[in-house]
Amino acid sequence: MIKVALVGTGNLAFQLYKALLNCPEIELVGVFGRNQEALSDFEQVLTTTEAIVLPAADLSLIAVSDDAIARVSMKMEPKHGLLAHTSGAQAIGAIKSDRAGVFYPLQTFSKQAAVDFSEIPICIEAKKAEDLELLKKLAHLLSDRVQPMNSADRKYLHLAAVYVNNFVNQLYQTAFEIVDQRELPFNLLYPLIKETARKVRDNVPAKVQTGPAKRNDTGIISKHLELQNPDNKELYTLLTQAIQNSQKQT
Amino acid sequence: MIKVALVGTGNLAFQLYKALLNCPEIELVGVFGRNQEALSDFEQVLTTTEAIVLPAADLSLIAVSDDAIARVSMKMEPKHGLLAHTSGAQAIGAIKSDRAGVFYPLQTFSKQAAVDFSEIPICIEAKKAEDLELLKKLAHLLSDRVQPMNSADRKYLHLAAVYVNNFVNQLYQTAFEIVDQRELPFNLLYPLIKETARKVRDNVPAKVQTGPAKRNDTGIISKHLELQNPDNKELYTLLTQAIQNSQKQT
């Protein structure tokens, strides 16, 4: 049995709460958060706005926003065990403790959508070897994909995650706006969105690229530019060039 | 029974060939292509390099590259019925005939990957009302999603398709390059890629946006810029601005 304390009340904290509760080998001893109202979502365990009230644990998962990690972790007591933050972008040094660690689930979380942690890669790091073992044990209880990773590698992984998540989503939004102005339903594009994602499961993306940029079809490219507002034109031109550069290197 | 002739030997032609063969209400009378060797993939029906040899049909699907549509369609005879090209980017006028049409399946096709046409939206257009009915009948035999659409709307849809397919794939490639230089496996990102796509099935993309650009987290944004080469820096900056503009408008 691993005793875990949870810190934070955001989307990731909520999804971790549900996953930890569901795991018979884990005892979730309580949740610490500064917002009493947000804590009401965590009603199946002890909740508190004071770190000192949080029961003893083998480790504490600090699932708070990046800029709160340092401040919140300093409120924790030795009885709260290993202190692991859950951020992709922050180094392990954000927690000032010999027993610092990182437990970073690489996924986008919302409060509503149910999450299957078993498929989510969990990147772990700890200052002490025995703490890394503890994080590994916990991560394996939730996920089939556990990846020890240092802070330097993790910040690149987080940057890549911004590309495939936030930036890809913005391209979906641009497409949404283009079809919406013609009163066409965005869900016409959904099978293509799905297949585009599926294709890179087993392929290097550049190798399965298609379309006017790859073919250097200047006729279509100029026609497309004419259809767009200046902001989108700039984005279209830059991405067309990026495709052509990547194709040269492949 | 609808008699269909197929023109072209590329990826889409090959996938249409397999789908048409599998449909008991359709008789595929033959395939016309200029390349004898490529025609060998279509061995279950008559194949020819001369349009005149192609048997009579109710309609012919002209699945050739955009710049070949006009030339190829002029080789077709009245016995080949309605002439429908399969391009998203070309207007119906690319075919000089009273019996011109468009049959545009909105998906990315490769020769290998099996395709389930039933989920693929097929956008149809014809000059004559009775030809539109014929295309509708054919499209419904292959797909559950048939959308009559004029050439003006279709070119915007095609532009949007470039964003969600070619451009999204290029962002996957950028992420691939970022993790690859650290010798991290790209497939760590796959669950996030899949979830990002899934989220927009039922949501306007801007409403499910997350991340440093949305939060205007200038600390993370500057750290990310430091990690990148000049080309990616420019792309990162432009997409960050685009996210912030879309968020203002939502």
Side-chain angles (χ1 to χ4, degrees):
Chain A
M1 187 70 83
I2 306 181
K3 288 191 179 188
V4 180
L6 186 59
V7 182
T9 55
N11 295 344
L12 173 57
F14 185 69
Q15 296 299 343
L16 282 171
Y17 162 77
K18 293 206 289 183
L20 295 168
L21 275 182
N22 269 329
C23 183
E25 292 93 344
I26 293 169
E27 183 188 345
L28 180 58
V29 299
V31 179
F32 158 45
R34 62 180 165 177
N35 183 330
Q36 186 69 59
E37 199 186 319
L39 281 169
S40 66
D41 290 337
F42 299 77
E43 56 187 358
Q44 290 185 56
V45 297
L46 176 147
T47 59
T48 174
T49 56
E50 300 294 332
I52 191 84
V53 176
L54 201 60
D58 298 309
L59 67 93
S60 296
L61 294 178
I62 307 194
V64 300
S65 62
D66 283 12
D67 52 5
I69 292 171
R71 184 172 38 77
V72 169
S73 63
M74 279 192 285
K75 294 187 183 168
M76 305 298 283
E77 309 279 328
K79 68 170 177 175
H80 297 132
L82 162 61
L83 303 179
H85 75 64
T86 57
S87 165
Q90 297 300 316
I92 190 169
I95 294 175
K96 306 286 175 230
S97 161
D98 284 349
R99 297 201 64 198
V102 180
F103 184 95
Y104 169 49
L106 180 51
Q107 187 52 286
T108 173
F109 297 94
S110 53
K111 215 143 208 171
Q112 310 79 32
V115 170
D116 177 6
F117 269 88
S118 70
E119 292 184 352
I120 299 175
I122 299 180
C123 305
I124 56 170
E125 181 181 8
K127 278 196 188 159
K128 296 188 173 184
E130 60 266 35
D131 281 341
L132 188 66
E133 285 312 304
L134 181 56
L135 282 175
K136 199 178 277 180
K137 208 169 141 194
L138 176 71
H140 273 299
L141 290 172
L142 298 181
S143 170
D144 301 327
R145 192 79 197 268
V146 179
Q147 180 95 27
M149 190 178 296
N150 63 40
S151 293
D153 281 347
R154 197 175 58 255
K155 70 183 176 186
Y156 282 92
L157 182 66
H158 181 257
L159 170 62
V162 165
Y163 275 89
V164 303
N165 176 19
N166 309 150
F167 290 170
V168 162
N169 190 66
Q170 178 58 29
L171 296 189
Y172 295 157
Q173 175 63 22
T174 308
F176 172 86
E177 290 166 10
I178 291 167
V179 296
D180 195 53
Q181 65 175 332
R182 304 296 295 188
E183 294 179 2
L184 296 169
F186 179 61
N187 67 13
L188 279 177
L189 292 164
Y190 190 68
L192 181 59
I193 286 172
K194 203 171 141 192
E195 175 66 8
T196 304
R198 195 203 57 78
K199 267 190 170 176
V200 297
R201 193 180 52 194
D202 307 310
N203 294 294
V204 173
K207 304 225 172 185
V208 294
Q209 187 59 279
T210 60
K214 184 191 169 178
R215 293 193 309 271
N216 196 23
D217 185 335
T218 50
I220 298 287
I221 292 169
S222 343
K223 275 195 200 174
H224 278 172
L225 287 172
E226 283 168 25
L227 302 177
Q228 298 181 76
N229 66 35
D231 284 351
N232 287 356
K233 247 183 215 174
E234 195 182 351
L235 189 55
Y236 185 102
T237 303
L238 201 59
L239 284 162
T240 294
Q241 286 164 356
I243 288 174
Q244 296 180 341
N245 290 341
S246 287
Q247 292 298 317
K248 270 181 222 149
Q249 285 152 26
T250 309
Chain B
M1 184 74 82
I2 306 181
K3 287 191 180 188
V4 180
L6 186 59
V7 182
T9 55
N11 295 345
L12 173 57
F14 185 70
Q15 297 298 345
L16 283 170
Y17 162 77
K18 293 205 290 184
L20 295 168
L21 275 181
N22 269 329
C23 182
E25 293 92 346
I26 293 169
E27 183 188 345
L28 180 59
V29 299
V31 179
F32 158 46
R34 63 182 165 175
N35 182 331
Q36 185 69 62
E37 200 187 317
L39 282 168
S40 66
D41 289 339
F42 299 77
E43 56 187 2
Q44 289 184 59
V45 297
L46 176 145
T47 59
T48 176
T49 57
E50 300 294 334
I52 189 84
V53 175
L54 202 60
D58 298 310
L59 68 95
S60 296
L61 294 178
I62 307 195
V64 300
S65 62
D66 283 10
D67 50 5
I69 292 170
R71 185 172 39 77
V72 169
S73 63
M74 280 191 283
K75 295 186 183 169
M76 304 299 282
E77 310 277 330
K79 68 170 177 176
H80 296 131
L82 161 62
L83 303 179
H85 75 64
T86 57
S87 166
Q90 298 299 316
I92 190 169
I95 294 175
K96 304 287 175 229
S97 163
D98 282 351
R99 298 202 62 199
V102 179
F103 183 95
Y104 170 49
L106 180 51
Q107 187 49 287
T108 173
F109 297 95
S110 53
K111 217 143 208 169
Q112 309 80 32
V115 170
D116 177 5
F117 269 89
S118 70
E119 291 184 353
I120 299 175
I122 299 180
C123 305
I124 56 171
E125 181 181 10
K127 279 196 187 160
K128 296 187 174 188
E130 60 267 36
D131 282 341
L132 189 65
E133 285 311 304
L134 181 56
L135 282 176
K136 199 176 277 179
K137 208 169 139 191
L138 176 70
H140 273 299
L141 289 172
L142 299 180
S143 170
D144 301 328
R145 192 79 198 268
V146 179
Q147 180 93 26
M149 189 178 297
N150 63 39
S151 292
D153 281 348
R154 197 176 57 255
K155 71 183 178 187
Y156 282 92
L157 183 64
H158 181 257
L159 171 62
V162 165
Y163 275 89
V164 303
N165 176 19
N166 309 150
F167 290 170
V168 161
N169 191 67
Q170 179 58 28
L171 296 188
Y172 294 157
Q173 175 64 22
T174 308
F176 172 85
E177 290 165 11
I178 290 166
V179 295
D180 195 54
Q181 66 175 334
R182 304 296 294 191
E183 296 180 0
L184 297 169
F186 179 61
N187 66 14
L188 279 176
L189 292 164
Y190 190 67
L192 181 58
I193 287 173
K194 202 171 142 191
E195 175 67 8
T196 304
R198 194 202 59 76
K199 266 189 171 176
V200 296
R201 195 178 53 194
D202 307 308
N203 294 294
V204 173
K207 304 224 172 186
V208 293
Q209 187 59 279
T210 60
K214 185 192 169 175
R215 294 193 308 270
N216 195 23
D217 184 335
T218 51
I220 299 286
I221 292 169
S222 345
K223 275 194 200 175
H224 278 171
L225 287 172
E226 283 168 24
L227 302 178
Q228 298 182 76
N229 67 37
D231 283 351
N232 286 356
K233 247 182 217 174
E234 196 182 349
L235 189 55
Y236 185 101
T237 303
L238 201 59
L239 284 162
T240 295
Q241 285 165 357
I243 289 174
Q244 294 178 342
N245 290 339
S246 287
Q247 292 298 317
K248 270 180 222 150
Q249 284 153 29
T250 309

